[in-house]
Amino acid sequence: MSSTSVETAFMMAIDRLLARNVLKANSSDVSKISKSVVAREAGHSRTTLYKYPNVLARLKSLEATTKPSKQSKIVRLRQENARLEQESRMARDLMATMLLQMREMERQTDSRIRQAVRMTQAEGSDK
């Protein structure tokens, strides 16, 4: 196989992998396109890939354009943290409400039990 056809095979492998990611609606998930994955897709070894600087440069450029910045990760994590804190507050509020309802139901049940006991005792004293 000629040098250009091997390089072309690597480039076409990258194109196929990118196309699959787009089809899966994961166009931002280029992180799964590694040197090993490209080599496997092209049908060549990873060590062969290192002989082609154009392929390596393309892979590096894909990494650079798709890697989320640390700042965007921080923003996303802060947003997720705020959402989780809000969910936690809502869950605590719901549990507190349910506890109050349960205590009210217990109070009503105790009251009805006392009332039933009084009625039973009243019936017993009438006989």
Side-chain angles (χ1 to χ4, degrees):
M1 208 175 233
S2 75
S3 171
T4 4
S5 62
V6 173
E7 184 173 17
T8 303
F10 282 127
M11 291 297 197
M12 290 174 65
I14 293 171
D15 291 338
R16 285 192 303 273
L17 291 166
L18 286 171
R20 285 185 204 147
N21 282 349
V22 169
L23 290 175
K24 291 180 188 174
N26 278 341
S27 56
S28 65
D29 195 10
V30 179
S31 62
K32 292 182 181 174
I33 300 180
S34 66
K35 292 173 185 133
S36 297
V37 172
V38 170
R40 192 175 321 121
E41 178 71 20
H44 295 283
S45 71
R46 193 182 67 191
T47 53
T48 304
L49 185 136
Y50 286 97
K51 295 176 184 175
Y52 299 95
N54 292 337
V55 176
L56 294 172
R58 185 168 180 205
L59 285 172
K60 190 168 185 149
S61 73
L62 286 174
E63 263 182 35
T65 58
T66 58
K67 242 182 194 172
S69 69
K70 288 182 182 181
Q71 190 61 36
S72 67
K73 280 183 181 180
I74 291 170
V75 168
R76 184 183 53 78
L77 289 171
R78 284 183 177 155
Q79 289 171 343
E80 185 178 356
N81 192 30
R83 181 185 58 79
L84 290 171
E85 285 175 350
Q86 182 180 7
E87 286 179 12
S88 178
R89 279 192 300 276
M90 289 172 59
R92 281 194 306 268
D93 290 347
L94 181 61
M95 286 189 303
T97 301
M98 292 172 73
L99 180 63
L100 291 172
Q101 289 173 347
M102 187 178 73
R103 287 184 178 161
E104 177 60 22
M105 290 172 77
E106 286 174 343
R107 189 191 62 73
Q108 290 175 359
T109 301
D110 289 344
S111 173
R112 288 184 180 138
I113 289 172
R114 283 192 302 274
Q115 184 181 8
V117 167
R118 281 194 302 268
M119 289 175 66
T120 305
Q121 289 173 348
E123 286 176 5
S125 64
D126 288 344
K127 291 184 181 180

